[in-house]
Amino acid sequence: VVDGAPIYLTLGAGGNREQHSDGYQHDEPEPWVAKRDISDYGYGHLHLPNATHAKFVWVRDGTTDLGILDEVWLPNQYSND
């Protein structure tokens, strides 16, 4: 994370009524894509517990437990606390 830079969370794993996709439009992921895995579907939670921090959690769909595959704490770069 670069101080002062915006942080974007982009998700695209919700699926659709036509069922899960069987491929990608391009063979190679775009340079800005951190992970591309067609076997993982799920959703994210953005928790804002206070003015100084946010927590993002990625939860895999279809699991019997929490299924957390990834999580990150983000400090508020504009907070004076």
Side-chain angles (χ1 to χ4, degrees):
V1 177
V2 177
D3 287 342
I7 298 172
Y8 299 97
L9 300 173
T10 304
L11 306 179
N16 59 34
R17 65 178 174 268
E18 291 87 14
Q19 303 302 321
H20 295 304
S21 175
D22 61 358
Y24 293 103
Q25 184 176 2
H26 305 287
D27 291 335
E28 296 297 321
E30 293 79 358
W32 51 268
V33 175
K35 178 183 178 189
R36 186 169 83 166
D37 184 348
I38 203 161
S39 66
D40 287 332
Y41 294 90
Y43 54 93
H45 291 285
L46 180 61
H47 303 276
L48 304 169
N50 55 47
T52 62
H53 288 82
K55 180 181 180 185
F56 180 78
V57 177
W58 171 255
V59 181
R60 185 175 183 187
D61 191 22
T63 58
T64 56
D65 56 7
L66 288 179
I68 295 173
L69 289 185
D70 201 1
E71 62 184 288
V72 62
W73 279 95
L74 303 167
N76 181 349
Q77 57 195 358
Y78 302 107
S79 175
N80 293 325
D81 294 341

